[in-house]
Structure formats: C-alpha cells, structure tokens
Amino acid sequence: MPPEIPDLAASFRRSLRAAGKAERTQILYGQSIRFFCDWLTAQGRPTTLDQLNRHALSAWLADLADRVDIETVRTRLRGMRRFCRWLVAEGELDKAPTEGVEMPARSEKPVRVLTDDELARILKACQVPRGKAGQYDRRIFDGRRDEVLVRLLADCGLRVSELVGLEHPEHVDLQQELVYVVGKGNRPRVVPFGARTGQAIDRYLRTRNAHPYATRTPRLLLGERGPMSADGVRWRLEVLGQAAEVPDLHPHAFRHTFAHRWLAEGGQERDLMQLAGWRSDAMLSVYARSTAVERARGAHRKMALGDRL
C-alpha cells in the first residue's frame, strides 16, 4: 500500500528543521501539503502518495485560483514543489510531479500603500493620557507599545515575524539607532531607524520596566500575558485601524509603504534589498510598479492637459 502523504509530511518537516529553515517557512510548506490532502479527501480520494500527481496538483491549484488570490496559489505551489523535491531526494518518488505545473503569473495590481494622512491617524490612535513613571498602567503601556510597533513597521519595513522576534537589549541599539533583525532563513541584517522611532522606543522601555513580564522574557514587545505574537500584532493593528478609520490594516501594508516611499524618494534599489532582506529582484518589480503609478499620476496633474480644453 502506498505511504500516506501526512506521514511523509511529518518527515519532511523534520528535514526542514534540520536544515535550519525558518518556523514560518515550515508552517507555510506544511499548510500546502495539508490543504492538498484536504482537497483529496473532499474529492473522495485517499491521501496516499500515488494520488500526488501532476493532474491532481493542477486540478487542486485551479480550484484554489477560483477562491483565493494569485499570491496564495503561488505560495501553495512553492510549498508542494519543495515537498516533491524532497520526496525525490529521499527515494520516495522517481520524478517530482510538480514538473510541468507552471507557476501562475503575479498579479499586476499595484500593492497597497498607506498615505501620510493615514499613517498620521494611526499614530494618533496610539496616543494615551500621561501617567506616573515607574507604575504599570495598561492603557499607557498599550499606547506606547503600539506606537513602537507601528513606527518599527513603517520606519524599518520589518516583517511581522521579525518584529515580534526582537529582543531587548540584544536587538535594539538606541545609541546608534539600529535594530538587529533575524529574517527569513535565519539570515541576520541590520536596519536603522529614525530619531522619532528611537524616542518612542525609549519612552516604551521606561514603561515596559514595570510590566509584570518585564523580567521574565527579553522580547521587546509585550502583551497582557507575555510576549506579543504575530497574531497579537495583527489584532492590535485591526483595533488601531478601526480607531483611525483605516480599513483592512495589516502588518504587510507597512512593509509595502516602506518600500514604496523608499523608491519614490529616489532611494537605491540595492540598498532597499539590503534593508528589506530580499535576495532576488522579484520583489523590487512589485514595488517599482506601485511607484511608477504614482509618478504617472503626478505627471498627469502637473501637465493638467484637461484644464487646457
């Protein structure tokens, strides 16, 4: 009887851990395999290795494309490609069934960019009444912490996983205004931040000292029950977005905005790749397209062709 795909997926995850792959990468690859198995079950088919073939994969991806955005489909296919290469290397398959399954083209839709006015309203939503230094007041603590997470996302373009992984004082240098980030694939990089971000971190740290978990964990960002998780950050941004009347506010919107503003201000692409932790040029084209759209709109307003009629 052919082996079960979920059993092989467990072995695959162990190999990813041994290779030092990031936890987020392990989760995404695992989701691809699990969702494919769920699809097989919904089709009344067993989740055995003989069902993992090019035709089944193509049908599954086509079904996905009708329900989710194209980037999600691309992510699922990347996960299955990695899994299938591992199956071949382990001798479980002679040939990867993902061969011949084409990667869907990226969406041409420009990425969402937060405006200066939206950013200002989000930061205003973080403001709280003043309190006494050295005393833990949850409202004051939450406001100062929220300003730090917003500023680090907007000023440094961090991924949410990188943000919640920051530790104090190891990863935060207030004197040189730098954060030391561990990105995808456990690749470290150094990202500078501005004076206002530094000021916000300093004010937050003085409040953090009185937090019940301050001495229990080195994590920079704390929630009510300990270190903040990525889901905790997403939830706080939803709250701030509602207060600031900025719909669908999520962590990656700040990363999009950071990259867009960098290019719009004439920043060098290679410098952006270093700051953002990108290893290929693929992501640059996504943000350059957004910047080009803004330049075109600006040129149209300047020419004011319609006003000459």
Side-chain angles (χ1 to χ4, degrees), residues 175-196:
Q175 295 301 317
Q176 299 190 65
E177 297 181 336
L178 300 170
V179 286
Y180 300 87
V181 179
V182 179
K184 285 187 175 181
N186 292 322
R187 294 188 296 272
R189 70 182 190 279
V190 180
V191 186
F193 54 79
R196 290 188 178 180

Side-chain angles (χ1 to χ4, degrees), residues 11-305:
S11 297
F12 173 57
R13 177 149 190 172
R14 292 189 193 97
S15 75
L16 293 175
R17 289 182 60 193
K21 295 297 182 182
E23 180 69 18
R24 182 62 177 166
T25 299
Q26 297 177 42
I27 292 172
L28 288 175
Y29 287 172
Q31 286 176 341
S32 295
I33 302 167
R34 186 171 74 254
F35 293 157
F36 175 70
C37 288
D38 290 346
W39 180 83
L40 287 175
T41 301
Q43 301 294 313
R45 299 163 66 172
T47 57
T48 49
L49 190 57
D50 59 323
Q51 299 297 315
L52 181 55
N53 55 63
R54 183 166 61 86
H55 298 294
L57 284 169
S58 296
W60 170 57
L61 293 171
D63 184 56
L64 272 181
D66 290 335
R67 296 181 287 108
V68 301
D69 62 71
I70 202 66
E71 286 303 319
T72 300
V73 178
R74 290 172 61 89
T75 297
R76 300 296 170 231
L77 179 53
R78 277 195 294 269
M80 293 305 293
R81 281 180 171 178
R82 184 67 180 81
F83 179 49
C84 290
R85 288 199 300 270
W86 176 82
L87 289 171
V88 172
E90 291 292 308
E92 299 290 346
L93 291 175
D94 295 327
K95 180 180 179 181
T98 46
E99 289 187 20
V101 179
E102 294 186 5
M103 181 69 73
R106 286 187 181 276
S107 171
E108 292 295 320
K109 181 176 65 175
V111 297
R112 181 193 176 189
V113 174
L114 298 169
T115 66
D116 289 348
D117 180 63
E118 287 175 326
L119 288 170
R121 297 205 307 269
I122 294 166
L123 286 170
K124 185 177 181 180
C126 299
Q127 295 178 2
V128 293
R130 294 184 179 183
K132 293 182 179 180
Q135 294 184 1
Y136 178 68
D137 182 302
R138 184 178 172 185
R139 289 189 310 153
I140 295 171
F141 176 86
D142 285 353
R144 291 188 177 186
R145 181 211 54 214
D146 290 349
E147 181 179 356
V148 167
L149 72 85
V150 166
R151 286 193 177 277
L152 283 174
L153 288 172
D155 197 4
C156 304
L158 303 184
R159 300 179 178 94
V160 66
S161 59
E162 297 168 346
L163 175 70
V164 298
L166 291 176
E167 296 183 354
H168 173 71
E170 182 179 358
H171 296 154
V172 182
D173 188 335
L174 284 175
Q175 295 301 317
Q176 299 190 65
E177 297 181 336
L178 300 170
V179 286
Y180 300 87
V181 179
V182 179
K184 285 187 175 181
N186 292 322
R187 294 188 296 272
R189 70 182 190 279
V190 180
V191 186
F193 54 79
R196 290 188 178 180
T197 299
Q199 181 185 43
I201 295 173
D202 179 74
R203 292 179 70 244
Y204 163 67
L205 288 176
R206 284 184 273 124
T207 305
R208 183 188 183 279
N209 290 335
H211 191 283
Y213 280 85
T215 59
R216 301 187 197 180
T217 175
R219 289 293 177 86
L220 175 66
L221 298 179
L222 300 179
E224 186 178 1
R225 298 181 181 86
M228 284 194 84
S229 65
D231 286 339
V233 171
R234 294 186 185 98
W235 177 73
R236 287 305 301 172
L237 289 178
E238 286 182 13
V239 172
L240 293 172
Q242 291 173 3
E245 298 183 348
V246 179
D248 191 29
L249 185 63
H250 55 84
H252 224 62
F254 292 92
R255 188 165 165 85
H256 290 172
T257 303
F258 169 77
H260 170 87
R261 293 176 68 173
W262 179 273
L263 293 174
E265 293 294 326
Q268 295 298 308
E269 292 183 349
R270 294 299 151 186
D271 291 338
L272 177 58
M273 288 185 66
Q274 175 67 33
L275 293 172
W278 295 329
R279 300 187 72 182
S280 72
D281 296 340
M283 293 307 296
L284 278 174
S285 62
V286 176
Y287 297 102
R289 185 162 58 247
S290 172
T291 308
V293 169
E294 185 172 286
R295 284 201 306 268
R297 289 173 178 169
H300 182 276
R301 294 189 189 100
K302 186 177 180 180
M303 291 181 181
L305 299 179

